[in-house]
Amino acid sequence: MATNSNNTRADDLLASYAALGQTLMPGLASLCLFDEDLALWESTAGADSYTASRILQTPQWQKLGAAHTPVAATTATGTVIVAIPLLRTSGHLLGVLCAQFAEAAAGQLGDRPAATVVARLKPALDCLHRELSARCARNVRSSALAERTAELEWLFEFSSESKGPGNEQRVLERLLEASAKRLESQLAALLIPDKRIEMQHLVDENAAPMRDALAQMQAHLLTWAHRREKPLISNGVAHPRSGIKPCKLISVPVSSKSGRIIGVLVFLNPDTAPDFRSRQVFLARHLGRHVTTLLEAQFDLMTGL
C-alpha cells in the first residue's frame, strides 16, 4: 500500500467529500488524493492507493509539460479507478483525485467512465478545488512569513555583531560582503555620490564582468532611485540594449535620515544565475534601511558631510 508522504497534512480532508460524492454517485466506493508532486496526501477507507499511484506513473502525469486530462483504468479485480487532475490557473497540477468504483458499480459509468465521473462529481470537485487552492495560498503565505522572519533574524544578528568601536568604512565593507553571501549575489555595491562613497564587494574574480555591467547602468540606477523612490528588480530581459551586459539585479534606494534619496544599494548576478526571489528583495530593502542607520550614526563624523 502507498503511504502518506506527509502525515501532518492528512487531516480527514476527504471524509466530507467522500460522503458528498456517494450522494452524487451512489456507486462511489472510496477516494484518494495525491498532491502536486503525485505523492499520496490522504485516502478514505478501502481505497487502493497503491494501484492509483501506479496509474499516475504513466507519461501523461510524469512528463514535464504534458496535458493533464481525466483517465480511467480497470484493475484485474474489475475495480474502476478514475484519476481526475485538479489544476491551478497556470495549468500546473494542484493535485489529483482518484475515485474508485467496485466492479458491481462499473456498469453505471458507461463507455466514457472518466467523463461520466467528472460530470457527476462536478459539485464536489469544484468545492475540493477551492479548498485546496485556499490551503495552498495559506501555505505560501506561511512559508513567506517564515522566510522573512529568518532574514530579519539574520540582519539583527549581523547588526548586533557590528556594533561597537571600529573602522566605520570596514563596517560597510563587512555589510556588503555578508549581504552578498546571504543574497547569493556575485556583486554587491553601495553608491552614495553625496558622501563620495562607492564601494563594491566581488565574490570572486570570475564575476568581474559584473563590474562592467554596474558601470554601464550606475547612472540609470541612481536616477531611478531618485525619481521612483522604490526598488528596481530585474531578472533579465529578453532583448537587452546593444552594448549592455545582460544581468539580474536588485537595486534598493538608500535615504538620509530626513527621507531624501541619496544613493542605492545594488546586488548583481549574471543572467544565467537563478532569479532573485521575494525573500531576497525583502532582505535587500531592509539592508538599505540599515545602511541609512549606519551612515547617520557613523559616516557623518568621518566625512564631515
Side-chain angles (χ1 to χ4, degrees), residues 42 190 236 287:
E42 188 180 351
L190 178 62
L287 284 166

Side-chain angles (χ1 to χ4, degrees), residues 152-302:
L152 290 178
E153 289 175 348
W154 174 85
L155 181 55
F156 177 78
E157 182 177 347
F158 175 84
S159 302
S160 299
E161 292 175 352
S162 301
K163 288 180 179 178
N167 184 288
E168 291 84 352
Q169 182 167 343
R170 180 55 186 153
V171 171
L172 287 181
E173 289 174 349
R174 288 201 303 267
L175 175 67
L176 290 180
E177 180 180 358
S179 59
K181 181 178 179 180
R182 185 72 180 182
L183 271 71
E184 301 173 6
S185 171
Q186 292 294 303
L187 174 66
L190 178 62
L191 310 173
I192 314 288
D194 288 354
K195 293 183 178 291
R196 300 192 292 274
I197 298 173
E198 185 172 332
M199 303 172 63
Q200 298 180 11
H201 174 76
L202 194 67
V203 172
D204 59 61
E205 289 306 316
N206 292 329
M210 291 295 93
R211 282 181 168 154
D212 295 334
L214 178 62
Q216 290 174 330
M217 65 182 70
Q218 178 172 326
H220 173 70
L221 297 179
L222 289 166
T223 299
W224 171 280
H226 281 98
R227 291 180 177 177
R228 304 295 184 90
E229 299 185 359
K230 65 180 183 180
L232 174 61
I233 300 98
S234 174
N235 278 315
V237 295
H239 304 288
R241 291 169 55 187
S242 177
I244 300 296
K245 293 184 180 296
C247 64
K248 299 181 178 182
L249 69 90
I250 301 175
S251 177
V252 296
V254 175
S255 63
S256 65
K257 189 175 182 180
S258 65
R260 181 175 64 89
I261 302 300
I262 58 174
V264 290
L265 177 63
V266 185
F267 300 94
L268 288 176
N269 268 338
D271 63 333
T272 55
D275 287 353
F276 284 117
R277 298 170 51 222
S278 60
R279 171 189 66 81
Q280 293 160 303
V281 175
F282 173 81
L283 178 57
R285 294 175 71 126
H286 280 274
L287 284 166
R289 298 186 184 107
H290 185 58
V291 169
T292 296
T293 302
L294 291 175
L295 291 174
E296 291 298 328
Q298 298 175 322
F299 267 77
D300 279 351
L301 293 177
M302 187 182 77

Side-chain angles (χ1 to χ4, degrees), residues 7-41:
N7 290 330
T8 62
R9 299 188 306 179
D11 52 359
D12 298 326
L13 172 67
L14 288 186
S16 58
Y17 290 101
L20 176 58
Q22 288 161 359
T23 300
L24 297 170
M25 292 194 74
L28 178 65
S30 57
L31 296 172
C32 52
L33 180 65
F34 295 82
D35 66 15
E36 67 274 16
D37 297 317
L38 303 181
L40 180 65
W41 186 328

